[in-house]
Amino acid sequence: MDLETLKLLADPLRAQIVALLARESLCVCHIVEETGAQQTNISNHLRALRRAGLVDTEPSGRYVYYRLRPHAIEALAAQLGELASTAARSSDQKRPCP
Amino acid sequence: MDLETLKLLADPLRAQIVALLARESLCVCHIVEETGAQQTNISNHLRALRRAGLVDTEPSGRYVYYRLRPHAIEALAAQLGELASTAARSSDQKRPCP
DNA sequence: CGCTGATGTCATCATGGGCTGTTACGTTAG
DNA sequence: CTAACGTAACAGCCCATGATGACATCAGCG
């Protein structure tokens, strides 16, 4: 299980950023407008997302466009789905206690 | 997006507990053995998981069996999958920056 | 039935890490 | 050169984690 990605997505602001980036590529100023958070704060979170490989950057003049990489999120969704199906399949398994 | 569930799964120990419970129902003492963590610590994490509706309890005499409820995890996996597919679909959308 | 040991929960507290804000610096358009 | 955009480094605050101790519950036994 990819705890790194999970931890990153668990923060409200980062989750909002990821949701915004899922719809379209945005530069930092757009994200600042949408979220109302401080720019440096957004930049910090974007750095974390970048280091984890969750987003891609594309400098365009003065601006930096951010794009979501679906790869990691897709893999995480698959892992969670498998976990859920495993649980549903072995719901009657019970290890004896004493 | 269910940040509550996400946050709960993002902790290493809780993730391990969930992974163990996905395979079979266990009582607390089993989880203590498998993880090597303190019992009260396990109990605290199980309480958090219980309050979020991620696990079910089934008292059996002196012991308490815990079972994973796949529902929330399944829903989360679906949401993440949809997010990833949305991102993959709109990868060329780009909002113009002034 | 009363006692004892084991299991599990709850309440409380200290510590560490993450989030946020401030400041400073690099970079690019005009 | 100036202003705007973005990043990086640093400090403060808060919350979650983990540990300790006390309490409730149940099986086993005399």
Side-chain angles (χ1 to χ4, degrees):
Chain A
M1 185 70 65
D2 190 354
L3 288 182
E4 177 84 12
T5 304
L6 220 41
K7 219 182 259 281
L8 287 173
L9 292 178
D11 181 73
L13 187 48
R14 275 196 298 264
Q16 193 180 356
I17 293 174
V18 168
L20 288 172
L21 289 179
R23 284 202 285 278
E24 49 182 346
S25 294
L26 298 170
C27 71
V28 181
C29 54
H30 289 142
I31 303 175
V32 169
E33 280 177 14
E34 297 276 355
T35 62
Q38 300 245 357
Q39 201 213 32
T40 59
N41 196 7
I42 297 293
S43 189
N44 278 330
H45 285 300
L46 284 173
R47 171 172 49 176
L49 294 173
R50 204 185 333 150
R51 283 182 178 164
L54 281 176
V55 299
D56 247 353
T57 68
E58 178 190 343
S60 164
R62 236 190 314 194
Y63 308 102
V64 177
Y65 274 94
Y66 280 82
R67 169 201 317 270
L68 189 63
R69 291 165 55 95
H71 202 61
I73 295 181
E74 215 166 51
L76 185 61
Q79 286 179 346
L80 285 178
E82 189 170 350
L83 193 71
S85 71
T86 299
R89 220 179 307 118
S90 65
S91 64
D92 51 348
Q93 296 288 330
K94 185 189 289 191
R95 187 190 299 192
C97 200
Chain B
M1 184 72 63
D2 190 355
L3 289 181
E4 178 82 14
T5 304
L6 218 44
K7 218 183 262 277
L8 287 173
L9 292 178
D11 181 75
L13 186 48
R14 276 197 298 264
Q16 193 180 356
I17 293 174
V18 168
L20 288 171
L21 289 178
R23 282 202 284 278
E24 50 183 344
S25 293
L26 297 170
C27 72
V28 181
C29 55
H30 289 141
I31 302 175
V32 169
E33 281 177 13
E34 297 276 355
T35 62
Q38 300 246 358
Q39 202 219 26
T40 59
N41 196 7
I42 296 292
S43 187
N44 280 330
H45 284 299
L46 284 173
R47 170 171 50 172
L49 293 173
R50 203 182 338 146
R51 284 182 177 165
L54 281 176
V55 299
D56 247 351
T57 67
E58 179 190 343
S60 165
R62 223 182 333 186
Y63 308 102
V64 177
Y65 274 93
Y66 280 82
R67 170 202 315 270
L68 189 62
R69 291 164 54 98
H71 200 287
I73 294 180
E74 215 166 50
L76 186 61
Q79 285 179 346
L80 286 178
E82 189 170 351
L83 193 72
S85 71
T86 299
R89 221 178 307 118
S90 65
S91 64
D92 50 350
Q93 295 290 331
K94 185 188 290 190
R95 188 190 298 193
C97 210

